Amino acid sequence: MFGRLFNKGKEKNKETSNKNQKSWSKDEAEYIFLHGSQTGGTEMLAKTFFKSLIKEGKKVFMDDLDSYTTYEKATHLIIFTSTYGSGGPPANASDFEDAFEDVEPINPLKFAVVAFGSTSFQDFCQFGVDVDGWLESNTHFERLLPLVKVNNQSDSDFRGWLSLWNRTSNMDTQIELKSSNKRSSKIQEFTILENQEISGDETHLIKLKPTKDVNFQSGDLLSVHSEDGQQPRIYSIAKIGNDILLSVRKHEQGICSVYLCNLSKDDVVSASIEQNKTFHLPVDASSIWMICNGTGLAPFLGMMEENSTSKLNLIWGGRQESSFGLYKPLVDKSIENGLMEKYELALSRTGEKQYVQDVLAQKSDEVSKALDSGSVFMICGSMNMQNAVLEVLDEITNSKLNQPLSFFQDNGQLLKDCY
Ligand SMILES: Cc1cc2nc3c(=O)[nH]c(=O)nc-3n(C[C@H](O)[C@H](O)[C@H](O)COP(=O)(O)OP(=O)(O)OC[C@H]3O[C@@H](n4cnc5c(N)ncnc54)[C@H](O)[C@@H]3O)c2cc1C
């Protein structure tokens, strides 16, 4: 055990040998960042993330999972790992399980795991799931963020995790995975047409008009530049006619959300549109389940207008019925045009106190039949809601259809855009 403790773990990071950057040893760093990689993809991303933490001024040390040891001043353990073969560890993580059993951490550590994999394998992200479970069941570790699974280096899966990471740790790291897949329009001006507050909910419905011609569709993202020197923030778009409708939650300390929510009619915003192909309305689905909470309803409001063929089911989670008030007329229009029979509200502050995952669990027969017959499930809103929904859907598909949820995801039946 001591051989492992003292021999493993490189003393300084090569990545920080750059003269201008301070490097931290394993015993100086507060953030320990370990990665497990087979083909180098996860390692490359890990290096990018590592550099962005250094840029944020963090004392961080990066190493292979196999080199897991004690860390004198560490407060956080972050792990990015892929899975190899049938649910096993990648090349530089095969000793991690033993090391983890042998090594007793010096300090309590907050942890976060990102699991990389592909839904085309039966054991999608299994090693990451195992690592997360080992940390979860060890009393020295406290969860900082829920486990997130990233399919085929998907930018949108990782973006959701990064968004959670940034606000939990008060950082502003910006990393992209498949940047070649992403197309952004030029920064241009958009005029505010309406800015309505959903009272008691710190949420605004904001309608904007592009001042120049620009192509976009519901599910794309508006990248808003609020102040000089600030990274832009992104918001899910509903296309209503030729206008953009956003649902924005106002965060008390938030830079961009406060900026947007305080705008008045005729004010002008600088922004660009990011195409978000993996979250467009599917063209050939017989039925679509729209699962969302809070502001996550926004892109669906536009998709309801776009839709002319698929039967729609909507389950929305919010605090109370009045939170749904401003959205309701747009949803009712979809019911009037005959492609949606009804919608369900899961209200967390009134009556039965429900969340969207509870509604799905109650409808497990209907959900399994829908997935079995090719329905597409689209999820938009908070990462916590997404994780809870994925867990319920996975239970349903395993118990009723004898398949993991990743089978249906691989089939294109699960689309996600959470933050
Ligand atoms: C793909 C994607 C789509 C998105 N779509 C939407 C959308 O449709 N509507 C929408 O409102 N937002 C959406 N977001 C989130 C949005 O991009 C911003 O992160 C959010 O508005 C906060 O930005 P800010 O500048 O106001 O806060 P920041 O200045 O970034 O954060 C400052 C502080 O505000 C608080 N804060 C920020 N965000 C949260 C949060 N979510 N929960 C609790 N506290 C928080 C924290 O205290 C944080 O430290 C989306 C994000 C992604 C990645």
Side-chain angles (χ1 to χ4, degrees):
M1 170 186 156
F2 288 107
R4 185 187 301 289
L5 285 186
F6 295 110
N7 294 334
K8 291 209 169 189
K10 302 171 202 92
E11 276 302 301
K12 297 267 179 189
N13 282 286
K14 287 194 200 99
E15 286 78 10
T16 53
S17 55
N18 179 330
K19 276 189 206 127
N20 299 322
Q21 279 177 344
K22 176 109 174 74
S23 62
W24 307 101
S25 73
K26 75 174 188 69
D27 288 323
E28 290 168 331
E30 287 167 19
Y31 288 77
I32 305 301
F33 182 34
L34 303 181
H35 63 90
S37 188
Q38 183 71 29
T39 56
T42 305
E43 184 176 357
M44 253 169 61
L45 178 72
K47 282 183 178 161
T48 314
F49 184 66
F50 169 75
K51 283 181 190 155
S52 67
L53 292 183
I54 295 275
K55 227 167 128 187
E56 288 280 328
K58 301 296 166 197
K59 296 180 184 174
V60 48
F61 175 79
M62 182 168 113
D63 214 337
D64 296 340
L65 266 171
D66 267 351
S67 303
Y68 174 74
T69 179
T70 53
Y71 307 98
E72 260 177 36
K73 299 211 173 114
T75 51
H76 289 74
L77 175 66
I78 308 145
I79 295 179
F80 283 9
T81 185
S82 60
T83 291
Y84 186 62
S86 44
N92 63 349
S94 51
D95 291 340
F96 176 72
E97 186 175 2
D98 289 343
F100 188 71
E101 272 176 23
D102 288 349
V103 173
E104 185 164 323
I106 298 172
N107 306 312
L109 292 167
K110 294 201 168 122
F111 76 93
V113 178
V114 184
F116 293 83
S118 167
T119 51
S120 54
F121 293 98
Q122 178 81 13
D123 303 294
F124 175 50
C125 291
Q126 189 55 49
F127 184 66
V129 173
D130 291 344
V131 169
D132 189 76
W134 298 331
L135 292 163
E136 166 90 28
S137 55
N138 184 314
T139 51
H140 290 96
F141 293 88
E142 186 196 333
R143 183 177 292 285
L144 178 69
L145 298 178
L147 170 74
V148 171
K149 298 180 192 172
V150 177
N151 181 29
N152 285 332
Q153 299 269 316
S154 147
D155 196 26
S156 81
D157 288 345
F158 186 67
R159 192 171 48 201
W161 182 84
L162 197 61
S163 154
L164 256 186
W165 166 265
N166 276 338
R167 66 175 180 267
T168 309
S169 52
N170 219 358
M171 294 189 201
D172 202 6
T173 48
Q174 306 277 327
I175 298 168
E176 274 167 25
L177 298 185
K178 286 189 174 167
S179 46
S180 55
N181 249 358
K182 201 180 91 177
R183 267 206 272 137
S184 297
S185 68
K186 283 196 188 129
I187 298 178
Q188 63 177 83
E189 296 190 326
F190 295 81
T191 311
I192 302 286
L193 297 178
E194 280 170 23
N195 191 345
Q196 292 176 279
E197 185 181 356
I198 301 179
S199 69
D201 234 29
E202 291 103 38
T203 299
H204 284 230
L205 256 191
I206 306 176
K207 203 179 225 186
L208 309 100
K209 192 174 201 56
T211 53
K212 288 192 188 133
D213 273 356
V214 56
N215 280 333
F216 64 95
Q217 71 183 82
S218 298
D220 286 339
L221 301 163
L222 191 69
S223 178
V224 177
H225 297 253
S226 56
E227 281 176 24
D228 282 350
Q230 280 299 329
Q231 296 283 358
R233 308 285 194 263
I234 50 185
Y235 297 89
S236 305
I237 290 175
K239 185 176 183 196
I240 307 284
N242 284 321
D243 299 328
I244 289 174
L245 188 68
L246 305 179
S247 172
V248 177
R249 175 106 204 274
K250 187 176 181 177
H251 301 287
E252 223 177 286
Q253 308 293 328
I255 293 171
C256 197
S257 61
V258 169
Y259 163 77
L260 281 171
C261 292
N262 287 343
L263 292 171
S264 310
K265 190 173 180 314
D266 296 331
D267 282 345
V268 171
V269 175
S270 292
S272 58
I273 290 174
E274 276 181 27
Q275 206 182 42
N276 190 20
K277 276 192 193 157
T278 54
F279 205 69
H280 287 166
L281 185 77
V283 278
D284 48 5
S286 57
S287 94
I288 297 170
W289 288 57
M290 298 171 157
I291 318 286
C292 50
N293 71 342
T295 55
L297 181 59
F300 296 137
L301 294 172
M303 289 180 198
M304 285 172 196
E305 200 173 90
E306 257 169 60
N307 174 48
S308 58
T309 51
S310 308
K311 186 177 163 284
L312 302 180
N313 293 282
L314 169 71
I315 304 173
W316 179 81
R319 290 180 185 170
Q320 57 255 328
E321 199 155 355
S322 61
S323 314
F324 193 68
L326 278 185
Y327 305 122
K328 194 171 179 299
L330 291 155
V331 178
D332 284 345
K333 227 168 111 184
S334 178
I335 294 181
E336 276 162 32
N337 78 22
L339 286 166
M340 185 156 71
E341 278 170 26
K342 58 181 172 57
Y343 56 84
E344 307 247 355
L345 303 186
L347 304 174
S348 62
R349 301 259 171 108
T350 36
E352 265 184 80
K353 294 197 172 55
Q354 278 194 319
Y355 295 95
V356 283
Q357 62 270 23
D358 302 326
V359 175
L360 286 166
Q362 283 156 14
K363 292 175 175 288
S364 59
D365 283 339
E366 217 183 308
V367 167
S368 72
K369 278 185 197 139
L371 280 167
D372 203 27
S373 62
S375 292
V376 175
F377 281 61
M378 300 183 78
I379 310 174
C380 188
S382 76
M383 285 292 289
N384 285 341
M385 179 270 309
Q386 171 183 289
N387 288 327
V389 164
L390 293 181
E391 208 174 299
V392 166
L393 291 180
D394 196 42
E395 270 165 32
I396 294 175
T397 60
N398 274 305
S399 64
K400 296 195 181 278
L401 301 169
N402 259 329
Q403 291 283 5
L405 182 62
S406 56
F407 171 84
F408 298 93
Q409 187 175 349
D410 194 41
N411 226 6
Q413 289 177 256
L414 183 66
L415 309 180
K416 297 172 287 169
D417 199 42
C418 292
Y419 42 90

